[in-house]
Amino acid sequence: MKYSKLFILAGVFVPILTFQACGQSEDNMYSLDYSNRISLCRSIRIASFNEDTEGWEGIGGQAGLTGSLEEMRYVDTQEDYGVGMAEGKSALIFRSEDSPADSWRGVRKTFTRPQDLSSTPILQFKVFTQEDRPAQKVLARAVLSDGRRRYEARTSVIPASWATPIFNFGGCPFLSKVKSMEISIMTESPEIWKNRRFLLDDIKAGQPLDWNFMLEGSSGSFLAENGTIEERDDMMRFSFSEGGRLSTSGCILDSRNGTFNPPLDSFNTLHIVMSNRSAAKRLRLSFRTDRHDSWSSSASKVFDIIPESGPTAYFFNLSDNPLAEGDLTGFRLEPLDAEGGIWDIDKFIFLKEKPIETYVGKIESCTATEENILIRGKIQEKFTGRYSRLQVYEAPMYKVDGPIDAGSLDGLEKLYDGHVSTSFEISSIPYGRPGGKTDMLGMRMLAVLRDLDGNAVKVAPYFWIENWRDFEDNPYAFELPDRDFNVLDYGARGDAFTDDTEAINRAIEACSNAGGGRVVIPGEPIPGTDASAGRRYVATNIVMKSNVDLHLEENAIIWQSGDKRDYKYNLSYYHNQNIPGVPWAHSIFVNLPLIQFTDVSNARLTGKGTVLMFNNYTFDAHFTGTYAFCTDKIHIIPIGINGGKNIEISDVTVIYSPSYYTQFQYVSNLFIGNLKMLYPACSSGDGIGLAFCSNVKVVRAVYRSNDDALTLSSSYRDPRNLVSPWRRLRDGADHSVRNVTVAHCYLDCLYPSRINGVTIGNVTESHAIAFVPWGKTNPDQQLQEIDGILAYDNILRGGWSVGVWPDTPFDGKPFTNNEKDDYSPIKNVCIRDNEYLNRNGFLWVAPTNFTGDTGIHGSGKFVNGDFSQGHAWWTLSGDAGAADGYGFARNGGSIMQGLYLSGNSISFQASVCGKGQMVIISRDDGSVLAEMPFDTDVWELKTISARIAPLRDYFLGITGEDCRIRDCKLL
């Protein structure tokens, strides 16, 4: 992979740059960006600030020492993240003079004798800056000097967190005689920056630890036995003779954020891209961990490789080796079956891949009718005598996931128990689940064999009912021309290392220009490669067009690139960007989606393939909770749609999202079916985000992550849309969410993450179905409604199964979720016949016409009874609406408000005009409990009363040929 010059977007976290000499342009001082990807090897400490300032002096301010967390409280930190010392017991604190923000201020040290850094050309330090500042960017600069010349670099850092810039000094002409070093900050604004302070700590220099082999000296973290190592063309060449071995050195033990020594329990697969210019058909991969820190044959595994081959991607999965546990301390590769040869290695990285499992049979089909489920399958003959019982269980992910043992089945609902035979057909399992409220369409199943001692083995992977489309239609279906465009014909490789973005986009463009059709991502593996790893197409930003079905065949994987050089825009790392005036500025909003739809129509993403996000290991101890896993990940949203009509997402699986899985804005006629969103890689792993959408149907969506599973958002002037290159602010548009059906889904927000053996997660506040009424600041509340929501036959698990997030964060006030009047209209909601595994609640939010079995009830009094907010909060049927402070119904239409009433009687008073009827209607059975006809040309005050059953829902309002109503109240 060759690189081109990239310049840094504001807010890049943990920047890694190459220095440029003075005299060049400022842009060149940013140089090539290696952010968040390398570490130091064989480092030396330049300053630790644990005892004194070590000779560092202030430039444009004063430098001193801070000794404890108590003394650091001047820093505006985010409580969710927390902050401690970068290392040791203290840090250097710099207090700036009040001066224009665009002037550099910082610290400098003049060394008593010149420093020779020629053998340790990589500089790393930690810096913590305050959150408040007058501009978006906070720039950090490092300057070296030999007394005559300066060598300078700069980059952006995210405030309110410890950032770790790492710079390559390799090109500095006076690296062996550095007389002084300066580290300073600024922001791009002429405004006076008052009371500015920052922390500096842990300054080191070393050699590069870089397994993409971009930097000179990157091969220094490897050792050769019976062979040699050299660097060439962004790769490492291992030339070996018989008995040759390539192994890591001890450098990886202290890698930054553990990126090069991950826990093998989860990051179980060594991914290698290499050319094998030898006769070797196999290699042995040996490993060491902090639990088994010695080379041994038992801590190794043999894998097939392709002899005499060009660049090939391999995925060496160690998950079936019982010693692959604990943090990696080293690995070794040994070519087998060859007397000598050459390996040209482009990259190494350990990835989290699906654990290897052994199955004793297969499920050939699983279909259902409205009465029963039919499962057909086979068992390998050699197991029919060893096991006596074939059993099928419900297998919800929160109870069982991954490999099993006998104890894994405890507490599962057994659906079938029968004898074992080589072929089986099961038709006795009811389609309806026990209890009768939900059915099996949203439930995963597991078939096992049991022996007389209770031991269990899987027949096949977990499975679902396949014919889900027979139970729910797509009301927004559309036709496309019957023609295919194969991405391989447009230059895609699907080889797991070539960037296929442009090739896939060419196929999409050709398909759309031809009038539409299907763009096919083939799943057939490349000959000689491991089919279990899938056919992987590396991509960064696939841009969808109208009249295109992007179809991922089974085993096809769109794989987010983990190489920053593949991205054609200024990429931002880490979970959040700290942007003034923009709350919750997740990086997914400033980076482009992996699959992007913008103002398209008649477009689909379909097939049995996978959208796989790049999930490299990182653990940053400066952060708490799931944020600790975020620092070095490239955060882009897997599927992002802004504007569109007639959109379908079906049968695709999305894995390891670093933040939200999907985001839909301003979309109408949207169908989501059998979309699986699994296993978050970071924090805020929201599932299906519906904002300003209308006519939506979600069927058998499966979500297993750590935040809100399905959000219904009616926010107003979300400032993130002002800084996002793919989400646009559309003033004057309807920001409501209307007519949404959610059925047969499994929505589980309580995915556990683990840190040092302790399970953590967003367990208390995540919502399986989340209402987000953040539109109170819009003067026209008719454009901010969550209206017409139906949810049934879902399995809902979260801190809340159904809940609400009131208190908009976009009104200039802090988000506390405690403002009791800060929410926009919610109306016409029915949530019923679901399995609620946790609490339901709407806090103090009072919707109208809210029914079902959640225990959440609508308002007990009129909301917007004077129609000052137009038809907001009111239920309209037929020709009805609101204008000029009154509601109207025409041509047999009606305008009603659904209220939850507690008394035994009701008196409803309003001013009416025209010809129609005031009515009180039971929501239970639709019966009219009271009605009062009126026919008047002037406004008249009327009262209608009825006996009612307490704690029930009722409609109150008018219906007629031409009638109006205002000033509604309960007496």
Side-chain angles (χ1 to χ4, degrees):
M1 177 66 63
K2 300 299 181 184
Y3 26 53
S4 58
K5 290 188 176 181
L6 300 176
F7 302 110
I8 301 171
L9 182 70
V12 172
F13 186 70
V14 191
I16 301 166
L17 305 177
T18 301
F19 276 88
Q20 299 289 340
C22 282
Q24 296 185 2
S25 69
E26 284 195 5
D27 283 342
N28 285 337
M29 295 175 190
Y30 291 99
S31 191
L32 295 176
D33 182 3
Y34 306 110
S35 294
N36 304 83
R37 297 197 305 174
I38 76 169
S39 186
L40 294 189
C41 180
R42 302 180 183 92
S43 63
I44 59 173
R45 177 163 276 125
I46 294 176
S48 62
F49 307 115
N50 285 327
E51 300 298 334
D52 55 42
T53 61
E54 302 182 23
W56 290 77
E57 299 177 336
I59 307 170
Q62 296 181 341
L65 204 65
T66 180
S68 69
L69 182 60
E70 292 296 319
E71 294 177 79
M72 291 169 59
R73 285 187 174 170
Y74 65 83
V75 181
D76 294 327
T77 61
Q78 299 183 36
E79 184 177 349
D80 287 344
Y81 298 168
V83 60
M85 291 298 172
E87 63 83 33
K89 64 181 182 179
S90 61
L92 188 73
I93 179 173
F94 173 78
R95 297 172 174 84
S96 170
E97 299 170 351
D98 293 348
S99 60
D102 56 4
S103 61
W104 293 102
R105 75 284 317 280
V107 294
R108 176 192 297 132
K109 179 172 182 177
T110 300
F111 299 106
T112 54
R113 57 183 180 180
Q115 298 291 299
D116 183 357
L117 301 179
S118 57
S119 62
T120 54
I122 310 299
L123 177 72
Q124 171 182 297
F125 58 90
K126 297 183 184 297
V127 59
F128 192 107
T129 65
Q130 289 171 279
E131 182 175 9
D132 63 294
R133 76 275 189 196
Q136 179 171 332
K137 277 189 179 182
V138 173
L139 301 179
R141 180 178 71 168
V143 182
L144 304 183
S145 175
D146 67 350
R148 296 184 303 107
R149 295 168 292 178
R150 289 163 56 89
Y151 207 70
E152 176 176 340
R154 63 184 67 170
T155 186
S156 299
V157 295
I158 293 180
S161 57
W162 281 107
T164 309
I166 302 180
F167 301 100
N168 176 20
F169 269 87
C172 178
F174 51 86
L175 193 56
S176 62
K177 296 180 180 180
V178 176
K179 290 187 176 181
S180 67
M181 181 182 298
E182 173 189 324
I183 296 173
S184 51
I185 64 169
M186 65 166 280
T187 186
E188 296 176 329
S189 170
E191 183 178 333
I192 299 299
W193 209 357
K194 296 183 178 181
N195 301 316
R196 190 62 187 173
R197 305 174 184 184
F198 75 90
L199 302 178
L200 180 67
D201 205 359
D202 197 21
I203 306 173
K204 297 177 180 179
Q207 298 173 1
L209 180 52
D210 166 27
W211 286 357
N212 280 311
F213 306 109
M214 297 177 293
L215 298 177
E216 182 179 350
S218 297
S219 65
S221 59
F222 289 88
L223 304 172
E225 183 178 343
N226 294 328
T228 60
I229 295 173
E230 59 181 310
E231 297 172 9
R232 53 173 64 199
D233 299 327
D234 298 345
M235 63 180 61
M236 178 177 67
R237 171 164 288 183
F238 173 46
S239 302
F240 58 89
S241 56
E242 187 174 2
R245 293 174 175 175
L246 177 69
S247 59
T248 57
S249 68
C251 283
I252 70 171
L253 296 180
D254 298 317
S255 66
R256 181 185 50 80
N257 297 338
T259 50
F260 295 89
N261 56 308
L264 283 188
D265 315 61
S266 51
F267 285 77
N268 51 27
T269 298
L270 177 60
H271 171 47
I272 304 178
V273 177
M274 75 171 186
S275 299
N276 175 20
R277 307 190 186 283
S278 78
K281 298 179 180 179
R282 301 178 301 154
L283 63 74
R284 180 182 298 278
L285 169 58
S286 303
F287 58 88
R288 297 165 58 176
T289 72
D290 57 358
R291 300 185 192 178
H292 309 282
D293 198 14
S294 62
W295 300 119
S296 69
S297 60
S298 57
S300 70
K301 187 175 176 180
V302 174
F303 296 91
D304 292 335
I305 56 176
I306 304 175
E308 302 298 346
S309 58
T312 304
Y314 298 98
F315 296 85
F316 299 144
N317 194 318
L318 297 168
S319 61
D320 56 347
N321 188 308
L323 298 184
E325 58 179 4
D327 293 341
L328 181 75
T329 58
F331 70 87
R332 184 172 69 191
L333 297 173
E334 304 173 57
L336 305 177
D337 312 316
E339 295 180 355
I342 294 174
W343 286 351
D344 284 331
I345 301 170
D346 186 68
K347 71 171 63 173
F348 291 114
I349 189 170
F350 277 86
L351 299 172
K352 179 185 286 189
E353 296 287 322
K354 183 179 179 180
I356 295 171
E357 296 188 71
T358 300
Y359 305 112
V360 300
K362 62 180 179 179
I363 301 296
E364 295 181 321
S365 65
C366 177
T367 59
T369 66
E370 292 183 357
E371 289 76 35
N372 296 301
I373 298 173
L374 177 61
I375 303 172
R376 292 188 174 98
K378 293 186 182 299
I379 305 295
Q380 297 178 45
E381 187 172 357
K382 64 182 178 180
F383 295 103
T384 58
R386 191 181 309 175
Y387 295 91
S388 58
R389 308 301 296 175
L390 168 64
Q391 298 174 343
V392 178
Y393 291 86
E394 288 189 355
M397 294 181 185
Y398 74 93
K399 288 187 176 181
V400 61
D401 207 10
I404 65 165
D405 54 31
S408 302
L409 306 179
D410 295 344
L412 300 184
E413 182 75 28
K414 187 187 297 183
L415 303 173
Y416 173 82
D417 191 344
H419 294 290
V420 176
S421 60
T422 54
S423 297
F424 61 87
E425 182 175 299
I426 302 169
S427 59
S428 59
I429 300 174
Y431 175 67
R433 295 181 63 211
K437 290 182 66 174
T438 58
D439 61 39
M440 290 293 294
L441 200 60
M443 176 55 70
R444 191 178 64 165
M445 289 173 277
L446 172 66
V448 302
L449 298 186
R450 301 289 291 261
D451 63 17
L452 295 176
D453 296 325
N455 298 311
V457 293
K458 284 184 178 180
V459 173
Y462 300 99
F463 61 97
W464 307 76
I465 292 173
E466 299 163 4
N467 61 323
W468 60 272
R469 289 184 186 267
D470 292 343
F471 294 85
E472 294 284 352
D473 69 333
N474 175 2
Y476 318 114
F478 53 90
E479 296 295 326
L480 291 175
D482 185 14
R483 54 181 168 229
D484 287 349
F485 297 77
N486 191 316
V487 297
L488 298 178
D489 296 333
Y490 292 84
R493 302 287 298 275
D495 57 14
F497 59 89
T498 301
D499 180 8
D500 286 327
T501 304
E502 292 186 3
I504 295 172
N505 284 338
R506 282 195 296 270
I508 291 172
E509 185 81 20
C511 178
S512 181
N513 289 343
R518 188 173 72 158
V519 173
V520 178
I521 311 287
E524 183 178 356
I526 296 174
T529 61
D530 183 3
S532 66
R535 181 79 180 265
R536 303 194 184 198
Y537 298 79
V538 175
T540 60
N541 178 226
I542 295 172
V543 180
M544 287 292 291
K545 301 289 185 179
S546 294
N547 303 311
V548 173
D549 176 359
L550 182 60
H551 184 78
L552 280 64
E553 290 185 348
E554 189 170 7
N555 207 47
I557 297 173
I558 293 178
W559 192 21
Q560 177 203 353
S561 175
D563 192 334
K564 185 175 181 178
R565 294 170 295 179
D566 288 340
Y567 291 79
K568 308 305 181 186
Y569 59 92
N570 298 320
L571 189 69
S572 293
Y573 276 84
Y574 188 59
H575 190 70
N576 291 323
Q577 299 298 301
N578 195 307
I579 302 174
V582 184
W584 297 346
H586 303 324
S587 290
I588 59 168
F589 299 126
V590 299
N591 293 329
L592 293 174
L594 178 57
I595 304 175
Q596 178 180 345
F597 299 63
T598 302
D599 294 325
V600 300
S601 60
N602 302 328
R604 301 188 190 117
L605 175 62
T606 66
K608 296 182 179 179
T610 299
V611 177
L612 182 65
M613 307 308 288
F614 194 80
N615 186 19
N616 53 306
Y617 180 74
T618 178
F619 177 75
D620 190 339
H622 298 120
F623 295 95
T624 59
T626 52
Y627 291 105
F629 300 112
C630 301
T631 298
D632 300 305
K633 297 185 190 298
I634 298 174
H635 283 61
I636 63 177
I637 193 169
I639 301 170
I641 303 182
N642 186 263
K645 184 177 182 180
N646 299 335
I647 306 294
E648 177 181 336
I649 312 291
S650 61
D651 293 320
V652 173
T653 298
V654 185
I655 300 177
Y656 298 144
S657 180
S659 190
Y660 301 175
Y661 281 78
T662 69
Q663 183 84 169
F664 303 91
Q665 286 199 149
Y666 304 106
V667 179
S668 62
N669 300 350
L670 169 64
F671 181 75
I672 300 172
N674 198 33
L675 171 65
K676 298 180 176 68
M677 300 156 285
L678 306 174
Y679 313 127
C682 179
S683 193
S684 303
D686 290 19
I688 297 173
L690 302 176
F692 333 135
C693 295
S694 61
N695 303 331
V696 179
K697 189 169 185 179
V698 182
V699 176
R700 226 275 286 280
V702 176
Y703 171 86
R704 172 79 160 145
S705 190
N706 59 11
D707 213 319
D708 299 331
L710 185 143
T711 59
L712 304 161
S713 175
S714 59
S715 60
Y716 178 63
R717 292 195 61 80
D718 182 343
R720 296 175 297 186
N721 290 349
L722 295 172
V723 299
S724 175
W726 65 275
R727 298 197 340 166
R728 294 198 299 273
L729 196 66
R730 306 189 185 198
D731 284 332
D734 189 350
H735 293 85
S736 301
V737 180
R738 302 188 191 276
N739 189 24
V740 178
T741 298
V742 182
H744 316 296
C745 297
Y746 177 91
L747 305 178
D748 178 6
C749 305
L750 301 185
Y751 179 79
S753 299
R754 296 182 66 83
I755 295 179
N756 298 328
V758 178
T759 299
I760 62 172
N762 204 1
V763 297
T764 58
E765 296 303 328
S766 57
H767 300 46
I769 296 179
F771 289 75
V772 188
W774 288 350
K776 182 66 179 292
T777 53
N778 190 344
D780 189 350
Q781 289 292 282
Q782 299 173 111
L783 302 179
Q784 298 296 152
E785 298 183 303
I786 301 176
D787 172 20
I789 312 301
L790 172 63
Y792 62 91
D793 189 37
N794 302 290
I795 300 167
L796 305 176
R797 182 172 183 260
W800 302 77
S801 291
V802 179
V804 65
W805 290 105
D807 189 1
T808 176
F810 306 138
D811 59 1
K813 296 179 289 185
F815 174 81
T816 64
N817 211 39
N818 288 321
E819 286 192 68
K820 292 187 168 50
D821 62 347
D822 189 5
Y823 58 90
S824 47
I826 300 173
K827 68 183 188 183
N828 302 327
V829 178
C830 180
I831 302 179
R832 58 171 174 79
D833 298 330
N834 303 286
E835 182 177 2
Y836 308 105
L837 294 171
N838 301 89
R839 58 187 168 167
N840 300 312
F842 252 40
L843 304 176
W844 47 84
V845 175
T848 57
N849 192 26
F850 193 113
T851 62
D853 55 11
T854 62
I856 301 171
H857 300 297
S859 175
K861 60 183 180 180
F862 280 107
V863 185
N864 186 31
D866 60 0
F867 294 95
S868 60
Q869 300 175 33
H871 60 64
W873 303 97
W874 287 86
T875 299
L876 309 179
S877 178
D879 187 355
D884 301 324
Y886 62 84
F888 63 82
R890 302 173 183 142
N891 304 315
S894 66
I895 182 166
M896 308 271 185
Q897 193 159 122
L899 302 179
Y900 180 75
L901 303 176
S902 58
N904 295 312
S905 63
I906 179 176
S907 293
F908 159 34
Q909 184 181 86
S911 292
V912 295
C913 185
K915 184 177 182 179
Q917 298 178 84
M918 289 179 64
V919 294
I920 300 174
I921 299 174
S922 170
R923 283 287 282 111
D924 289 342
D925 57 13
S927 60
V928 178
L929 303 182
E931 59 184 332
M932 176 180 291
F934 57 88
D935 187 354
T936 175
D937 293 331
V938 297
W939 288 101
E940 293 185 4
L941 188 64
K942 302 285 187 180
T943 301
I944 183 174
S945 301
R947 298 288 297 176
I948 62 171
L951 304 178
R952 294 288 190 273
D953 293 285
Y954 300 90
F955 270 136
L956 292 77
I958 60 171
T959 181
E961 292 303 313
D962 187 6
C963 50
R964 285 159 284 173
I965 187 172
R966 68 184 186 190
D967 299 327
C968 302
K969 64 180 66 174
L970 297 178
L971 299 180

